[in-house]
Amino acid sequence: MQAYVYKSLRKADTYVFLSARDDFARLPDSLRAQLGSLQFVLDLELSEQRKLARADAAQVRQNLLANGFHLQLPPSVDAPYFAEAPTPDA
């Protein structure tokens, strides 16, 4: 399965995979507005053996088949790290 990857110029480390190049009509209007302009990054073949750095290739393929797009958000900050931070005295 072919995938076309775009990065959001408004949201750092946010990427959209599309099943058809430049087919932004597949994106919900509210999502499109939040992402702002999208810049083409690359196209790739999503085979079962394909490994992706920040996403599960099988999940990306499933989202492309079901919705025509897959949204990859930036990695979240580990919550327990912040839970251990000292709190200022009141």
Side-chain angles (χ1 to χ4, degrees), residues 50-73:
R50 183 76 182 216
K51 302 286 185 199
L52 298 175
R54 292 190 181 169
D56 175 30
Q59 184 65 52
V60 173
R61 283 193 313 275
Q62 182 179 356
N63 287 340
L64 289 175
L65 289 171
N67 306 316
F69 74 94
H70 171 81
L71 180 63
Q72 179 180 301
L73 298 172

Side-chain angles (χ1 to χ4, degrees), residues 12-13 54 73-85:
D13 294 326
R54 292 190 181 169
L73 298 172
S76 62
V77 177
D78 189 11
Y81 173 79
F82 289 106
E84 296 173 9

Side-chain angles (χ1 to χ4, degrees), residues 3-72:
Y4 302 89
V5 184
Y6 300 81
K7 71 176 181 177
S8 170
L9 298 180
R10 181 179 292 164
K11 302 275 188 180
D13 294 326
T14 302
Y15 295 87
V16 175
F17 292 68
L18 295 175
S19 58
R21 186 161 181 163
D22 298 334
D23 190 5
F24 303 116
R26 294 180 179 269
L27 299 174
D29 291 338
S30 59
L31 176 60
R32 184 79 171 101
Q34 289 179 35
L35 295 175
S37 297
L38 296 172
Q39 180 180 31
F40 179 75
V41 178
L42 65 101
D43 64 286
L44 55 99
E45 180 66 30
L46 284 177
S47 65
E48 290 188 22
Q49 296 78 23
R50 183 76 182 216
K51 302 286 185 199
L52 298 175
R54 292 190 181 169
D56 175 30
Q59 184 65 52
V60 173
R61 283 193 313 275
Q62 182 179 356
N63 287 340
L64 289 175
L65 289 171
N67 306 316
F69 74 94
H70 171 81
L71 180 63
Q72 179 180 301

